[in-house]
Structure formats: C-alpha cells, structure tokens
C-alpha cells in the first residue's frame, strides 16, 4: 500500500520569470515599465540640464505680461495691452468656435453623402463616391490652402465696391462678399433689458428653451392620446405658435434692430464679419471630415439587415420614413464610435489654421506668444494640455451619447 | 551585460548633449561646413538664384564667415528659417549662426540668450500701399487691413504705432514674405508692413513696381544683424570680426579687385594687420593669418556686397543712407584692428 505523499512544493527559481508562462508576461511588463520610466527620466533630466547650461529656466510668469500684438478675430475683448494669458484664451475660443462649427457641418455633409451614396440613382451614388474619394485622399492642409487661395483670388476686394462705377455690389444691399471675408447684418437690441448684449441674447435663449419644454409636454400628451384612442391629435399648428409667439414677443419688446455693413474707409464697417480664414478653415475641415463620416454612415446603414427595410416596406412605409424611423436609428450604433474619432480629428486638425492666418490657440499661444517670449517649452506644454483636455471632453460627451443610443439589452 | 550596454549608451548620449553647448568654432572646423540660417527667400538679402545657389546681402555674411574659418566661401549649408523657427534653430544648435534680417532687441539679446555680433543693415519698419488708394501718410491708415509677418518685431511695432496714434487696424498674420506678397497683390490686405529694405526688395519683384508706394513714416529702429548663441564667446568673436573686417575693408579701401596686391604688404599698418602680413590677429581668433583676406575675397568689402545685392543699381535700389561709412555720414563704424 502506497502512502500519499505531498505533491512537491513548487520552488520559485529566478529562471521561472522567463521560462514559466505564469510569470513571463509579468516579467516583460515590468521590464517595459522600467525602460519607459528610465527613458522619461533621461529625457526630463536632459532637458533640465540643457536648460540650466543655457541659463534658462521654466517659468509661466510671462503669461501675465502684456502681449503687445493684435488679433484680428476675437470673441472676447482683447487689445495689444492684454496679457498673453488672455491672448491664449482668445485662441482657445477661436479653436472651439471653428471646431464646433465644423463638427456640425461635417456631420450634415457626412450623413447626406453617406445616405445618398447608397441611392438607387446611379448618377447620385457615383457623384457621392467621387466626392468621398477625392476629399478623403488629399490632405486637409491642401484643401484649406486651395479654398483660401480661391477665395482671395476670386472674390472682389473692398475697393471694388467703392465709387460710382464699382465693379461689385452688395447682395440685397445687406451682404458683402469680399476676399477678406463675408459681412452680414448684425442683430442688436435697441431697448434691451440689460446693457450688455450677451445678457439680452440669454433672454432670447431662455424663451426658446421655454418653448422647447412646452412642446415636449404637448408631444407627450399627443402620444398619450394616440395610445388611448389610436388617433394622434394634430400638433403642427400649435407648435408653430408655441415656437414663434414668445420669440416674436421677446424680440419686439427688446426692440430688435439690424446693423447693416457699410463701406467706410478701407473696409466694410458694422455688421458681423466672418473672416476669410475662418470660412476657409471651417469649409475645408467640414468637407474633408464629411467624406470620412459619409463612409461611416454608409457602413452603418449597410450593417442593418436588408430584412428590416423589406419589413418596413411591407408595413407600407415610404423610403424616406424607412430610413429615418427604421434604418438610421439602428445604424447609429455602428456610426457613433467612429464619429467620435472624426470629431477629435476636426478639433486637432483645426491647428492647421496657421496656414491661413486664423488666430486659433496654435497661432496665438503656440505661435506669436511663443515667438515673442521665447518660452517654447512652457507654451508647447500648455498647448498639449489644452488639446488633451478638449479631446478627452469631446470623447466623454460623445461616449455618454453613445451609451444612450446603443442596443438596450435586458 | 545588456544593462551595461544601456548604461554605456546613456552616458555617451549624456556627454554628447553636454559637449554640444560649447566649441562651435571647433565643430565647424571639424565638420568642414558652416550651417548658416537665412530667410526662406527675400530677393536681395537671401534667395536661391536660377542655378539654385544662395545669394544676397545676408548670404554674403555667411560666406565671409565660412571663408574666414574654412578658407572656402562655398563651404556653407544654408538653412532656410521662418520668423517663427529661426530662434529655435539657433538655440538647438541646428545652425551655427543666423544671418536673417533679425532685429537686435534687448529681450532677444538678454532673455532669449543670444548674442548679436553687430549690425549689417540699419533698417526701420515702413508701410507699402497701392498707389490707387491715394494714401500719403501712415496716419491716414485708420481701419486698414495690414498684412504682417507673424512672430517678428514688426508685429509689436505695428500694434504700438496704431495704438499711440489712436487709430485702428486689422492684422492679417502671415508666415513668409512670399505669402504676404500674394495676399497683398490679391487685395486681401490694404497695406504690407515690414522693414523698409524688405518692402523695397519685395516691390522690386512686382510686375509694376510703380503702382505701389512706400509711405514716408519709418516707425521703428530695426538694426538687423547676424547673431550666435550666448556663451560661446570664441565663436561670437569670429563672426563679429568677420563682419567688422568687411566694414573696415571698405573704409580702408581694400576691395576684391586690389586685395591681391594689398595682401603682399602696404604702407598702412592697419591694412597689414587686417590682411595678416603684420601681427597675429588671426592666431588670436584661432584662425589662419589670412582669415580676413579670405572673408573679404569671398564677396568683396561691405560696400561691394551692398552694391551688388541691394544697391541703387540693382532692381531693389536701396540708397546707402544710414548704412554709409561713418566717414560718409552713415552709421557704419568698425572698431580698430589692433
């Protein structure tokens, strides 16, 4: 009769770190982490030593000094006596402005092109294919420069609007299209509740939000009635009233007026100027990224089983409603994740603004400020921090949206 | 074993990083080539000609330094830099010296840790407008759109000028002179502002230069000169005295035509010291005795370089003005070679 012996105790040997699959991955990860830490330490140390050898230091004190330069497009008050920090904020706002505008239009272009590319109409689908292939295969920088160059070369300069025998004229006497940008009338309030224009606009926005909330109630009631009786009450006329009446009332009370651009001196004065660089950058980013989004949309739609379309058609839905009610809502699950990347790309590609003289964060903080102060490391670190934060925020918001449209599993 | 290799590599890299800071003169000699930063292209000052060879007023400084150090005026690697990249290129050691219409200012000298070795062109910021606008003074430019090269002192002067005259303007920031020219000609800006010499050089390349006027106002002092990194004084001296040699040669009447006979020895002891037949000036700089002869022989003295590249007989047509010798009522003054 044999006795049971204890299984031999596993003895840990150094060679097991490499030979034993249980430890091997850990070993290599530890080595990789160590090498990474060493590399970072070496680079950082090298930087500090070289800075010290050159008699330089890292300091953010320059941010409080007067910047000394002017910026042509600004959303907040700024002049050459403002600080470098304020110039950076002007740049941040300009970056966000062009990024938000481009994200919206790129999505519209992308969805339209993506849907049309699957059209049964041969000409339409081929045209969209040509659009997608041309725009996504040429670098966006080249598109920005092409559009900007065409704009400055083709559009008339302000001097061509001047005099009795002017060669150009304003559209309806309201809009001026020049090679420096587009001038449009600007609304303002004669008898606003507040002295500041921005606060008056908040009142308008509040009115719109109120209308939206009321409309949601009405729609919810309509759905309830429909579920009870099978007939949906007509809400279109009511909606028109709910949206328009409060808005008109607010605008009337505050005395809405329009400031029309006029040719004065060298330039058009008054109204809102949408600068040429902004238009070029916005349009280029939109059509370029739109081409990528179009492919995402196409992929999303093609991922939906054909049976869904056929079933919807069998219920008697028209093609437009099939797309809106059946196919697109399901396709969103496939479309949204790559859409996040495209939005991030737009935000980051907006740094190409420097090519056309648009004053984004890369042009102000990373360009002129860096140059005038010579604080390259500080400025670039701040730039990295900004783009990182912006990207993570966009990612977070879009992921929340993604979670809301993804397949709900029970 | 593996660890030792990594540590060894780190040590070598660390030493190399430390050594790069000093001894530019030895580096240039060992390399056999001078890395000289110039503009990306401004006709008359620095631009490649039809054969692809760089030529111009700033280029001549690079060639003179190369000739003084290496005895060969063609041993130059020209590195085009923009207003934004020039200082980083110099500070990081990518170039040995910068000769690029760069204004000598306090903060660049003191805060950015560079060393201006002298002035090769006394300039001031001016304005160019199309004649048809009918503007005769910069003070009439209220509301104008102004094209400006970004990252330059002109950007700051412009803001100051309009602010102190209480008039407004709209800046159009632009990266290079070529882009500015294109925007200006397309009418995307009413005014182009940069150093007056640059305006003249740019206007010379237009189809119809007479349709554009330079306004009389000069709104700033722009002493343009070559610069090197702070702290490497031997190298700073070499560049400084190469430039001074060109200026002194004009004053002393040494030209590229007569330098051969003058180098044989003259009555004038200062010329003899300059050209190396007397004294040990070259040795003091760590160069050969005929360093200045080579520098002057590369493109002639200051006056010859000026006349050939930007003078009144060239399309750029700049008068000597402030850039005449001190004996002629200008500001050019080389310290004695003694």
């Amino acid at each position: 009769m044999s006795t049971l012996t204890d299984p031999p105790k596993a003895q840990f040997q150094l060679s097991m770190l490499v030979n034993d699959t249980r430890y091997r991955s850990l070993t290599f990860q530890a080595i990789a982490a160590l090498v990474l830490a060493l590399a970072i330490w070496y680079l950082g140390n090298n930087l500090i030593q070289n800075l010290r050898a050159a008699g330089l230091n890292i300091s953010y004190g320059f941010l409080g000094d007067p910047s000394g330069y002017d910026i042509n497009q600004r959303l907040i008050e700024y002049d050459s006596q403002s600080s470098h920090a304020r110039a950076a904020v002007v740049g941040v706002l300009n970056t966000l402005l062009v990024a938000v505008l481009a994200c919206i239009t790129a999505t519209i272009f992308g969805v339209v092109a993506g849907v049309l590319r699957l059209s049964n109409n041969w000409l339409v689908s081929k045209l969209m294919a040509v659009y997608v292939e041309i725009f996504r295969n040429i670098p966006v920088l080249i598109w920005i420069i092409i559009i900007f160059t065409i704009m400055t070369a083709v559009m008339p300069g302000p001097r061509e609007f001047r005099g009795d025998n002017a060669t150009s004229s304003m559209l309806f006497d309201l809009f001026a299209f020049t090679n420096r940008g587009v001038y449009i009338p600007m609304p303002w309030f004669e008898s606003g509740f507040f002295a500041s224009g921005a606060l008056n606009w908040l009142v308008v926005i509040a009115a719109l939000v109120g209308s939206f909330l009321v409309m949601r109630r009405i729609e919810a009631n309509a759905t309830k009635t429909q579920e009870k009786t099978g007939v949906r009450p007509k809400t279109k006329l009511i909606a028109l009233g709910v949206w328009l009446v409060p808005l008109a009332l607010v605008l009337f009370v505050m005395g809405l007026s329009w400031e029309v651009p006029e040719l004065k001196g060298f330039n058009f004065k008054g109204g809102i100027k949408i600068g040429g660089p902004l238009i070029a950058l916005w349009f280029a980013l939109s059509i370029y990224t739109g081409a990528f989004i179009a492919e995402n949309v196409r992929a999303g739609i093609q991922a939906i089983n054909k049976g869904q379309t056929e079933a919807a058609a069998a219920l008697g839905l028209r093609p437009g409603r099939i797309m809106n009610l059946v196919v697109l809502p399901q396709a969103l699950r496939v479309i949204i994740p790559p859409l996040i990347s495209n939005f991030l790309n737009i935000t980051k590609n907006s740094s190409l603004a420097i090519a056309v003289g648009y004053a984004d964060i890369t042009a102000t903080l990373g360009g002129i400020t860096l140059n005038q102060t010579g604080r390259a490391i500080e400025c670039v670190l701040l730039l990295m921090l900004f783009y990182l934060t912006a990207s993570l925020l966009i990612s977070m918001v879009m992921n929340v949206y993604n979670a809301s449209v993804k397949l709900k599993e029970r | 074993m593996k660890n030792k290799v990594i540590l060894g590599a780190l040590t070598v890299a660390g030493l190399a990083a430390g050594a790069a800071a000093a001894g530019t003169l030895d580096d240039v000699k060992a390399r056999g080539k001078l890395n000289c930063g110039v503009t990306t292209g401004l006709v008359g000052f620095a631009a490649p000609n039809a054969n692809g060879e760089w030529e111009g007023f700033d280029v001549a400084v690079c060639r003179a330094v190369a000739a003084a150090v290496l005895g060969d005026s063609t041993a130059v690697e020209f590195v085009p830099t923009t207003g934004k990249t020039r200082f980083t290129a110099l500070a990081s050691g990518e170039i040995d010296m910068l000769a690029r219409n760069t204004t000598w200012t306090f903060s660049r000298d003191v805060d950015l840790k560079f060393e201006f070795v002298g002035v090769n062109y006394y300039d001031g910021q001016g304005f160019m407008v199309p004649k048809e606008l009918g503007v005769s003074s910069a003070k009439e430019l209220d509301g104008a759109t102004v094209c400006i090269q970004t990252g330059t002192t002109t950007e700051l002067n412009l803001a100051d000028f309009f602010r102190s005259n209480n008039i407004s303007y709209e800046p159009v920031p632009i990266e290079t002179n070529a882009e500015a020219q294109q925007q200006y000609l397309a009418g995307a800006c009413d005014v182009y502002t940069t150093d007056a010499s640059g305006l003249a050089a740019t206007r010379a390349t237009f189809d119809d230069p007479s349709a554009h006027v330079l306004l009389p106002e000069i709104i700033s002092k722009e002493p343009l000169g070559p610069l090197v990194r702070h702290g490497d004084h031997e190298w700073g001296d070499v560049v400084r005295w190469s430039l001074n040699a060109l200026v002194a040669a004009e004053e002393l009447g040494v030209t590229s035509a007569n330098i051969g006979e003058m180098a044989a020895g003259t009555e004038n002891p200062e010329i003899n010291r300059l050209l190396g037949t007397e004294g040990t000036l070259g040795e003091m700089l760590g160069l050969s005795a005929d360093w200045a002869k080579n520098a002057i022989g590369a493109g002639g003295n200051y006056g010859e370089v000026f006349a050939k590249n930007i003078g009144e007989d060239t399309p750029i047509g700049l008068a000597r003005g402030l850039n005449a010798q001190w004996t002629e009522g200008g500001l050019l003054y080389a310290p004695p070679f003694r």
Side-chain angles (χ1 to χ4, degrees):
Chain A
M1 189 180 159
S2 58
T3 54
L4 273 174
T5 53
D6 284 341
K9 262 231 169 113
Q11 275 204 325
F12 184 79
Q13 285 167 326
L14 261 181
S15 60
M16 286 166 70
L17 280 178
V18 176
N19 296 333
D20 192 323
T21 47
R22 283 174 297 174
Y23 303 115
R24 195 186 288 151
S25 65
L26 280 179
T27 315
F28 283 114
Q29 286 182 45
I31 292 175
L34 193 71
V35 169
L36 187 70
L38 262 179
I40 292 174
W41 171 83
Y42 168 67
L43 289 174
N45 200 32
N46 192 18
L47 169 72
I48 292 168
Q49 270 181 4
N50 280 341
L51 279 178
R52 197 179 298 147
L56 298 167
N57 60 342
I58 289 194
S59 148
Y60 280 95
F62 70 94
L63 282 177
D65 298 339
S67 61
Y69 60 89
D70 285 295
I71 298 176
N72 54 359
Q73 183 186 316
R74 45 195 187 253
L75 298 175
I76 54 171
E77 285 294 311
Y78 171 87
D79 66 32
S80 60
Q81 294 305 298
S82 307
S83 65
H84 281 296
R86 200 170 177 88
V89 174
V90 171
V92 166
L93 291 176
N94 283 345
T95 294
L96 294 180
L97 173 71
V98 77
V100 168
L101 287 175
C103 282
I104 294 170
T105 41
T107 310
I108 295 171
F109 287 171
V111 171
V112 171
V115 171
L116 288 186
R117 196 170 175 186
L118 294 173
S119 162
N120 291 326
N121 185 322
W122 185 86
L123 187 63
V124 168
S125 70
K126 285 296 171 270
L127 271 180
M128 288 304 134
V130 168
Y131 158 70
V132 167
E133 294 310 331
I134 285 184
F135 279 92
R136 66 178 193 156
N137 288 312
I138 295 176
V140 65
L141 177 62
I142 295 183
W143 287 116
I144 294 173
I145 293 174
I146 288 176
I147 293 171
F148 187 62
T149 312
I150 291 177
M151 264 183 58
T152 45
V154 172
M155 305 259 247
R159 74 184 78 143
E160 284 168 49
F161 289 82
R162 198 174 296 129
D164 294 329
N165 47 5
T167 49
S168 304
S169 59
M170 291 172 71
L171 186 67
F172 309 128
D173 279 336
L174 293 175
F175 304 94
F177 296 88
T178 74
N179 57 4
R180 292 172 195 179
V182 175
Y183 297 81
I184 60 172
M186 179 175 74
W188 63 286
F189 299 111
E190 232 159 46
S191 50
F193 300 131
F194 305 98
S196 141
L199 286 176
N200 286 325
W201 282 109
L202 280 184
V203 176
V204 176
I205 291 170
L208 288 176
V209 170
S211 299
F212 174 75
L213 292 178
V214 172
M215 266 325 288
R216 236 175 46 170
R217 275 299 271 289
I218 292 174
E219 289 291 340
N221 272 335
T223 311
K224 230 185 210 167
T225 319
Q226 185 181 22
E227 276 165 6
K228 229 182 265 164
T229 65
V231 183
R232 191 177 180 86
K234 291 200 162 64
T235 56
K236 275 191 181 152
L237 257 180
I238 303 171
L240 207 65
V242 170
W243 280 112
L244 285 186
V245 172
L247 184 66
L249 208 66
V250 166
L251 293 181
F252 178 75
V253 168
M254 294 207 291
L256 179 75
S257 323
W258 295 88
E259 188 184 77
V260 178
E262 265 183 288
L263 194 56
K264 266 189 196 159
F266 295 95
N267 276 323
F268 281 93
K269 289 267 169 66
I272 298 175
K273 179 192 176 186
I274 308 168
L278 170 61
I279 296 175
L281 189 65
W282 173 16
F283 192 55
L285 286 175
S286 304
I287 51 175
Y288 175 78
T289 317
F292 286 87
I293 296 178
E295 285 298 87
N296 295 341
V297 171
R298 183 169 72 115
I301 292 172
Q302 284 183 331
I304 306 305
N305 196 322
K306 190 109 174 81
Q308 298 273 328
T309 314
E310 289 166 350
L315 287 174
L317 287 177
R318 276 169 283 125
R321 305 208 75 183
I322 296 176
M323 185 55 78
N324 285 336
L325 296 177
V326 178
V327 178
L328 273 183
Q330 299 185 74
L332 278 182
R333 275 167 224 146
V334 181
I335 296 171
I336 299 292
L339 191 65
I340 302 177
S341 304
N342 281 317
F343 284 179
L344 295 181
N345 279 340
I346 285 183
T347 313
K348 288 179 290 179
N349 282 343
S350 71
S351 60
L352 294 169
I354 187 68
V356 288
Y358 178 74
D360 74 331
I361 179 78
T362 314
T364 58
L365 179 70
I368 307 176
T369 293
L370 184 155
N371 223 321
Q372 302 293 5
T373 61
R375 298 276 175 193
I377 292 164
E378 292 90 333
C379 288
V380 170
L381 282 178
L382 274 184
L383 271 187
M384 286 164 64
L385 186 70
F386 165 71
Y387 281 110
L388 187 66
T389 316
S391 295
L392 288 179
L393 278 179
I394 293 171
S395 223
M396 200 181 78
V397 171
M398 289 300 291
N399 275 322
V400 168
Y401 177 63
N402 189 34
S404 76
V405 296
K406 77 175 179 201
L407 198 58
K408 307 276 189 301
E409 288 168 338
R410 288 170 223 284
Chain B
M1 184 61 214
K2 209 174 186 180
N3 276 343
K4 270 183 195 158
V5 171
I6 292 175
L7 283 177
L10 282 178
T11 321
V12 170
L15 284 175
T24 311
L25 180 57
D26 296 332
D27 286 353
V28 173
K29 280 181 177 164
R31 201 188 304 128
K33 215 158 207 193
L34 172 74
N35 291 333
C36 194
V38 291
T39 73
T40 49
L42 179 63
V43 174
F45 284 86
N49 65 12
N51 302 325
E53 286 161 11
W54 284 85
E55 59 179 26
F57 190 68
D58 287 329
V59 165
V61 177
C62 301
R63 293 206 187 278
V65 173
V69 176
L70 303 165
D72 178 6
S73 67
T74 60
V76 189
E77 177 81 32
F78 290 99
V79 181
T81 57
T82 67
K84 280 175 60 178
T85 60
R86 53 185 167 180
F87 296 129
T88 320
L90 182 60
S92 66
E94 187 188 344
I95 52 179
D96 303 313
M97 59 176 285
L98 182 68
R100 188 205 175 278
N101 310 75
T102 299
T103 307
W104 186 348
T105 69
F106 183 94
S107 64
R108 285 172 181 175
D109 202 331
V110 177
D111 193 33
L112 296 192
K113 309 289 181 203
F114 293 126
E115 189 161 321
F116 285 82
V117 299
V119 175
N120 72 330
Y121 193 92
Y122 289 95
D123 210 341
Q125 182 176 351
F127 297 97
M128 175 164 64
V129 293
K131 206 172 237 168
E132 58 170 327
L133 277 185
V135 175
S136 60
S137 158
K139 296 191 175 149
E140 296 166 20
L141 291 177
D142 191 12
T145 306
V146 183
C147 277
I148 181 154
Q149 282 185 60
T150 190
T152 61
T153 49
T154 48
E155 202 162 35
L156 306 181
N157 297 332
L158 185 71
D160 285 350
F161 175 78
F162 277 86
R163 213 178 109 78
S164 58
N165 282 293
N166 225 350
I167 48 180
S168 66
Y169 74 106
E170 188 183 315
V172 178
I174 278 157
E175 194 84 343
T176 67
N177 190 57
E179 282 173 51
Q181 189 175 326
Q182 185 198 345
Q183 294 287 308
Y184 172 76
L185 286 177
C189 46
D190 302 303
V191 190
Y192 179 33
T193 183
T194 186
D195 296 342
S197 62
L199 289 179
T202 304
R203 186 171 67 159
T205 63
F206 288 176
D207 288 337
D208 181 13
S210 63
H212 303 269
V213 287
L214 303 188
L215 298 179
E217 280 86 357
I218 297 293
I219 63 167
S220 67
K221 287 185 290 187
E222 307 283 341
L224 310 179
L227 58 152
V228 297
R229 277 180 297 278
H230 200 86
D232 189 351
H233 302 294
E234 285 75 21
W235 176 244
D237 287 341
V238 167
V239 181
R240 172 177 301 113
W241 287 96
S242 299
L243 177 63
N244 283 336
L246 300 188
V247 176
E250 188 188 17
E251 188 190 343
L252 298 170
V254 181
T255 67
S256 54
N258 65 16
I259 195 166
E261 52 187 275
M262 290 234 177
T266 65
E267 306 281 295
N268 185 334
E270 185 158 18
I271 295 179
N272 292 347
R273 283 196 295 272
L274 177 65
L275 298 183
T277 49
E278 215 181 291
T280 56
L281 295 188
E283 197 186 309
M284 294 179 201
L285 273 179
L287 301 175
S288 61
D290 59 354
W291 66 279
K293 180 181 166 232
N294 291 335
I296 299 161
N301 63 34
Y302 182 91
E304 287 176 275
V305 169
F306 193 102
K308 193 169 78 193
N309 293 301
I310 54 178
E312 300 201 57
D313 294 334
T314 65
I316 293 153
L318 292 171
R320 280 298 285 270
L322 289 178
N323 294 293
Q325 290 286 336
W326 65 287
T327 47
E328 313 273 327
L331 294 175
L332 282 192
Y333 187 102
F337 279 78
R338 132 174 336 276

